Amino acid sequence: MELDNIYFYIATIKAWKPLLSKDSYKEVLIESLRFLTQSGKLVVYGFVIMPNHFHIIWEMLELNGNELPHTSFMKFTSHVIFKDIKASNPGLLSDFKVLSVSRSHNIWMRHSLPIHLYSDKFILQKLTYIHNNPLQEHWRLAERPEDYKYSSARFYETGIDEFGILTHIKERT
C-alpha cells in the first residue's frame, strides 16, 4: 500500500477461526484504529468486523515510525489478542502456531489483500459490499446493515460516529 491512496483491505484470522466473535477482540481493533486516526496516521472511510475477518476502506496518511499504519495496526492487534489468548485460553494457542524464525504464532493470515480504489464508483461498490456483509445468509448477523454494531453502516445512515474513527467518504471524493 502507498500513502495518500484509498484501499479496500481484507484481513482474516489464521485458519478462519472465529476469534472476532468475541466483542472484546472487536474492541481491540476499534481502539487501534482510534489511536491511528487520532494520531493522523490514517483515515477510515468504512469497515465491518466479522467473526473471522474484517473489511476496511482506509487511507494511509503518514508513516507510524518506520512502517505504514496498517502494519502497526496488524502487529498491535495481533499482540493484544495473542496475549489475551495466552492468559485466558492457552489451549487455543496451538491453532495459531507457525514454523517461523521471526515468530511462534500468527493471529492474522499472512498476505492480507489490499485493493486500490481508484474511482468513486468502485469505492461506493466496496462500501455497499462491506455494509451488507453481516446480512449474508451464512452470517445472518443483522436484519439491516445499520443494525450490526461493528460496522460503519450506522454512521452512513445517521451521521453519528459512535466509534470516533470514521470520515465520510464524500469528504474525500
Side-chain angles (χ1 to χ4, degrees):
M1 284 196 280
E2 297 176 2
L3 297 176
D4 303 317
N5 285 297
I6 299 174
Y7 290 90
F8 172 73
Y9 188 80
I10 304 166
T12 305
I13 298 293
K14 186 176 182 286
W16 293 89
K17 296 289 182 182
L19 274 185
L20 298 175
S21 294
K22 192 173 177 179
D23 285 354
S24 63
Y25 292 164
K26 291 181 189 94
E27 291 295 332
V28 168
L29 275 62
I30 297 295
E31 285 300 319
S32 183
L33 291 171
R34 187 175 297 121
F35 174 79
L36 291 166
T37 57
Q38 290 176 352
S39 300
K41 305 296 182 194
L42 61 82
V43 177
V44 176
Y45 298 110
F47 76 96
V48 66
I49 303 172
M50 302 298 288
N52 59 13
H53 67 286
F54 77 94
H55 301 281
I56 191 164
I57 296 174
W58 57 8
E59 179 177 9
M60 307 296 124
L61 299 178
E62 63 180 54
L63 294 178
N64 188 35
N66 292 328
E67 61 192 12
L68 286 169
H70 82 284
T71 303
S72 299
F73 172 83
M74 298 300 284
K75 284 180 184 177
F76 177 79
T77 57
S78 182
H79 172 76
V80 172
I81 292 170
F82 173 78
K83 187 176 169 183
D84 183 72
I85 292 170
K86 192 174 178 182
S88 65
N89 193 356
L92 193 58
L93 287 177
S94 62
D95 291 341
F96 302 99
K97 188 126 182 85
V98 294
L99 299 172
S100 172
V101 176
S102 62
R103 63 180 51 94
S104 61
H105 295 81
N106 274 346
I107 298 299
W108 299 107
M109 280 191 198
R110 303 286 284 172
H111 311 295
S112 298
L113 177 65
I115 299 170
H116 179 237
L117 300 179
Y118 51 84
S119 72
D120 293 353
K121 181 179 177 182
F122 200 22
I123 292 168
L124 293 175
Q125 176 191 43
K126 292 301 181 189
L127 193 59
T128 299
Y129 172 79
I130 284 172
H131 292 161
N132 286 321
N133 206 261
L135 280 57
Q136 289 183 12
E137 193 168 320
H138 63 280
W139 294 116
R140 293 186 185 173
L141 298 173
E143 291 293 318
R144 301 175 309 160
E146 61 270 20
D147 293 339
Y148 185 64
K149 179 178 179 177
Y150 291 97
S151 165
S152 55
R154 189 173 300 139
F155 167 71
Y156 279 91
E157 185 70 25
T158 67
I160 300 168
D161 177 11
E162 62 190 87
F163 302 106
I165 63 171
L166 293 162
T167 298
H168 200 289
I169 193 63
K170 296 223 186 257
E171 291 184 35
R172 173 63 162 75
T173 58

